[in-house]
């Protein structure tokens, strides 16, 4: 199956990033959101991002114009009928995603593949809510989408080989490096990353080293671009805690117990960069 047009639901950070990656690679995009203001904001974000690439001499002004011409914006799901693949990139909320997916499932043709950009919700569970479980898959892009090479392609229990192969081919066409993952809480990257962040909080709570030295150790010793505590502040301590709680509930294994210091800091409202204070002051 050849994917020449991609529908994207959600014009926020992830949605407009996916739209940019597709458009720059020569794929037509229909980007849908609930209001004109939302889709126009998404479009202007893409334009600004492309302007920065022109300044860095990565693309030309003609490339920018061609990419923007490939993006159609809309507030109607009916416009998704032109797509061979629809990617849902709405907020990480199960009920909301379910509502959107059921609507889209009823509108697009039976051969259209539907993907979710979820970072934590079960693909098997979402697929079961549609009439095309074999044509449902996870495509977990990483932020910022235009820069990050990775896409986790998540197979639900019902996902067919043909669906997987078509989506993998499309990810490669975007210049991405896809990895194939079975459905499980946190998939691969967050399953390893968030417990590592949690362990850094245990090390901090035990007073083994200062936050600066913990982060320097992981940057210099493991070649990570950012230390785990600084990364937690960027992601949001509340998000890290919520993910650990999901793992504990889903796996029932005490190794996923959230560090009490992490829980305490969230209770204090020290959530990281977004509140001006987390492990570090901002």
């Amino acid at each position: 199956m050849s994917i020449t047009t991609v529908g994207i639901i959600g014009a926020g950070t992830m949605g407009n990033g996916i739209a940019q990656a597709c458009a720059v690679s020569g794929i037509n995009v229909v980007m849908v959101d609930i209001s004109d203001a939302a889709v126009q904001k998404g479009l202007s974000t893409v334009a600004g991002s492309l302007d920065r690439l022109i300044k860095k001499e990565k693309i030309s002004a003609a490339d920018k114009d061609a990419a923007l011409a490939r993006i159609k914006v809309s507030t109607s799901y009916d416009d998704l009928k032109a797509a061979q693949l629809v990617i849902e990139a709405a907020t990480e909320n199960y009920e909301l995603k379910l509502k959107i997916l059921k609507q889209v499932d009823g509108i697009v043709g039976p051969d259209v593949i539907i993907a979710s950009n979820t970072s934590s919700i079960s693909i098997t569970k979402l697929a079961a809510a549609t009439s095309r479980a074999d044509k449902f898959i996870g495509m977990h892009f990483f932020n910022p989408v235009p820069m990050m090479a990775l896409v986790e392609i998540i197979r639900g229990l019902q996902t067919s080989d043909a669906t997987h192969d078509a989506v993998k081919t499309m990810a490669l066409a975007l210049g991405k490096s896809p990895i194939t993952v079975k459905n499980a809480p946190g998939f691969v990257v967050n399953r390893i990353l968030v417990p590592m962040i949690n362990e850094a909080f245990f090390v901090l709570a035990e007073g083994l080293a200062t936050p600066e030295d913990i982060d320097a150790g992981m940057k210099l010793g493991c070649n990570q671009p950012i230390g785990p505590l600084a990364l937690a502040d960027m992601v949001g301590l509340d998000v890290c805690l919520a993910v650990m709680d999901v793992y504990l509930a889903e796996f029932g294994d005490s190794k996923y117990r959230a560090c009490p210091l992490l829980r305490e800091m969230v209770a204090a409202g020290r959530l990281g960069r977004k509140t001006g204070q987390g492990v570090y002051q901002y």
Side-chain angles (χ1 to χ4, degrees):
M1 179 194 203
S2 171
I3 296 169
T4 55
T5 301
V6 172
I8 298 169
I9 299 164
T13 306
M14 297 306 289
N16 68 56
I18 298 166
Q20 178 179 327
C22 290
V24 166
S25 303
I27 295 170
N28 294 317
V29 174
V30 180
M31 184 166 64
V32 178
D33 212 320
I34 52 172
S35 68
D36 267 334
V39 290
Q40 292 305 329
K41 187 181 175 191
L43 200 55
S44 66
T45 301
V46 173
S49 177
L50 294 172
D51 282 336
R52 288 192 291 279
L53 291 175
I54 291 171
K55 273 186 189 156
K56 290 177 184 169
E57 298 184 352
K58 297 270 178 75
I59 63 169
S60 67
D63 292 334
K64 175 196 167 183
D65 293 342
L68 288 175
R70 290 189 192 102
I71 303 175
K72 177 185 176 182
V73 296
S74 172
T75 55
S76 168
Y77 283 178
D78 281 339
D79 288 325
L80 296 170
K81 287 177 182 173
Q84 294 86 40
L85 166 69
V86 174
I87 302 171
E88 169 273 312
T91 312
E92 198 68 353
N93 174 304
Y94 175 68
E95 299 300 335
L96 175 67
K97 286 187 188 292
L98 213 56
K99 184 181 163 206
I100 289 170
L101 293 170
K102 283 181 174 174
Q103 264 183 285
V104 172
D105 185 43
I107 289 171
V108 299
D111 294 332
V112 175
I113 296 170
I114 301 179
S116 176
N117 178 53
T118 180
S119 58
S120 66
I121 298 169
S122 166
I123 296 301
T124 297
K125 200 171 168 185
L126 291 174
T130 72
S131 65
R132 64 188 81 209
D134 61 319
K135 294 186 180 70
F136 193 92
I137 200 162
M139 277 191 96
H140 180 211
F141 289 83
F142 287 75
N143 190 19
V145 178
M147 312 299 293
M148 298 288 275
L150 182 66
V151 180
E152 284 182 316
I153 297 178
I154 304 111
R155 298 187 69 144
L157 197 61
Q158 320 91 316
T159 307
S160 72
D161 290 343
T163 297
H164 167 267
D165 295 349
V167 167
K168 184 177 180 180
T169 300
M170 182 261 184
L172 290 167
L174 298 184
K176 301 299 183 191
S177 302
I179 62 170
T180 299
V181 182
K182 286 182 185 173
N183 185 60
F187 312 133
V188 165
V189 175
N190 288 337
R191 167 83 175 271
I192 296 168
L193 178 68
V194 183
M196 183 198 73
I197 289 172
N198 190 52
E199 197 61 32
F201 275 93
F202 274 115
V203 169
L204 178 63
E206 288 164 26
L208 295 186
T210 63
E212 291 80 5
D213 282 354
I214 292 167
D215 280 350
M218 292 304 287
K219 281 162 70 178
L220 301 172
C222 297
N223 208 20
Q224 294 182 352
I226 182 172
L229 297 172
L231 181 59
D233 277 353
M234 193 187 283
V235 170
L237 271 59
D238 53 334
V239 175
C240 295
L241 175 60
V243 171
M244 288 305 295
D245 284 344
V246 165
Y247 292 171
L248 186 63
E250 295 280 334
F251 292 115
D253 189 328
S254 63
K255 74 178 180 180
Y256 297 112
R257 177 175 70 96
C259 175
L261 176 61
L262 173 60
R263 202 174 288 284
E264 185 82 349
M265 289 176 74
V266 170
R270 295 182 181 178
L271 308 183
R273 292 190 181 197
K274 60 188 171 189
T275 58
Q277 187 176 6
V279 177
Y280 300 101
Q281 283 271 2
Y282 298 91

